Amino acid sequence: MAGGPMERFVPYIPVVAGMVLLVGVSWEWKARLLIGGISILSLYWGVRWDQKRFSQEAKIRESEKALRLLSLQRHDWMNHIQVFMGYISMGKQERIMPYLKRLTEGLHREREASHIPYPPLALLLSTIQQQVPEWHWQVHLESPDHISSPREGERIRCLISYLLDFIKGQAQQDEPAALRLKLRFEKDSGYLRLEADESVWSRLCFEGEDWDRLQRLLEQEGCQWDLLGNGLAVRFLFNVSRSSG
C-alpha cells in the first residue's frame, strides 16, 4: 500500500510543471493566472490524495494489529482446551473446575480493564497477556474512574509500556512465571506496582543499560519509585509537567 517514491510524487507533477512554466516562460497575466490556478488546484488534490492514502495505511496497520491480537487469543484458548482434554484423558476431572475458576477470574479482570475511560490504556491492559506472553499476568485495578482526561490515560499507558519493555526481556526460558500488575488511582495521583513471588523477583536483573533506561524514563515522567524485595512501586501525580531531561 505504501508505494515507491515515484508513486508518492505523481499527484504533484502538475504543481511542479506549473511552477516551471511560470518561472521559465514569459506569459501574459491571464495565462499566468490560469497556470497558477491549475497549480493550486493540483496541490490541493495532491494533499487530499496523500491524506486519503495515509488514512488507508493507518487503517491497515490497526487491522493488522487487531488480527495479531486475535490470533494470539485463539492460541491461548487452544492451549486451555488442550489442558481440559489432558485432564479428561488422565481421569483428573477434579482439576477442571479450579482451572475454570482461574480462567473466569482472568476474564473478569480483563472486563474491568476494558471499562477504563481511555481506550488505548484499556486495550493495553485487557490484552497484556497476548502482548507480553513471556509472563502470566494478573492485572488488578482500583478506582480507574479517577482517570479524567486522555492526557492522563496516555501518560499511564506510556508508564506501563516502559515497564513491559523492561520486563519482557527478563523472562526465564522455562515455564512463564506469574507477574501482578496493580494500579490504584486517587484524585490527584496514581500508584503502579509490578510484583511477583520473591523467588521469581530475586532472579530479575536491575542493573545495566535496560534498567538505566527505565529509570531515566520514569524520571522524565516525574515519577517516584522504590525497588522492593518482591516488586517495583511507582507513584505519579496527575496534571504535572514532564521533565525535560
Side-chain angles (χ1 to χ4, degrees):
M1 181 70 192
M6 288 304 299
E7 181 180 344
R8 294 173 181 267
F9 180 70
V10 166
Y12 299 100
I13 290 178
V15 180
V16 176
M19 295 299 102
V20 170
L21 289 173
L22 285 175
V23 173
V25 181
S26 178
W27 301 91
E28 294 184 0
W29 70 270
K30 291 182 179 179
R32 295 177 67 86
L33 183 62
L34 177 62
I35 295 173
I38 293 174
S39 299
I40 292 173
L41 285 175
S42 299
L43 178 61
Y44 170 77
W45 287 113
V47 171
R48 288 288 303 272
W49 183 88
D50 261 346
Q51 290 175 338
K52 181 179 179 181
R53 177 172 57 82
F54 290 148
S55 176
Q56 289 174 338
E57 291 176 354
K59 290 178 181 178
I60 289 174
R61 287 193 298 269
E62 289 298 317
S63 298
E64 290 173 343
K65 181 179 180 181
L67 288 172
R68 285 195 297 269
L69 290 175
L70 287 173
S71 177
L72 291 170
Q73 286 181 329
R74 281 197 303 270
H75 183 270
D76 286 347
W77 281 104
M78 287 299 297
N79 286 341
H80 296 318
I81 292 172
Q82 289 176 358
V83 170
F84 293 144
M85 294 176 66
Y87 286 155
I88 293 172
S89 65
M90 293 185 295
K92 297 182 178 180
Q93 286 85 348
E94 71 279 1
R95 301 184 66 175
I96 293 179
M97 286 306 298
Y99 194 89
L100 280 173
K101 183 179 179 181
R102 291 196 299 272
L103 284 181
T104 302
E105 291 172 349
L107 291 173
H108 180 69
R109 288 192 293 267
E110 288 183 9
R111 184 181 64 180
E112 286 184 336
S114 69
H115 292 160
I116 288 177
Y118 183 61
L121 176 59
L123 178 63
L124 174 62
L125 292 176
S126 59
T127 61
I128 191 172
Q129 186 62 61
Q130 288 74 39
Q131 298 198 50
V132 189
E134 294 87 353
W135 298 89
H136 284 312
W137 290 93
Q138 296 178 7
V139 178
H140 303 271
L141 297 171
E142 183 178 336
S143 302
D145 52 305
H146 283 302
I147 304 175
S148 60
S149 72
R151 179 183 177 186
E152 293 171 357
E154 178 61 18
R155 184 160 174 253
I156 298 165
R157 189 198 66 81
C158 287
L159 288 174
I160 296 174
S161 296
Y162 299 153
L163 289 176
L164 296 184
D165 289 341
F166 170 75
I167 205 68
K168 70 171 58 176
Q170 300 270 350
Q172 305 296 317
Q173 296 299 320
D174 52 3
E175 187 69 17
L179 278 180
R180 296 177 292 276
L181 180 63
K182 298 181 178 181
L183 294 109
R184 177 165 59 91
F185 304 102
E186 298 178 353
K187 183 178 180 181
D188 299 316
S189 62
Y191 299 85
L192 189 160
R193 180 164 176 145
L194 182 67
E195 63 180 35
D197 294 340
E198 289 190 15
S199 59
V200 174
W201 196 261
S202 62
R203 299 201 302 265
L204 303 184
C205 178
F206 293 95
E207 58 183 22
E209 182 178 345
D210 290 342
W211 173 238
D212 291 341
R213 177 177 180 273
L214 177 60
Q215 292 183 93
R216 287 196 303 270
L217 291 171
L218 293 177
E219 183 178 348
Q220 289 172 9
E221 294 288 346
C223 298
Q224 299 175 348
W225 67 93
D226 190 15
L227 189 58
L228 308 173
N230 71 328
L232 175 65
V234 179
R235 179 177 182 268
F236 51 91
L237 298 176
F238 292 143
N239 301 318
V240 297
S241 299
R242 299 183 182 185
S243 169
S244 58

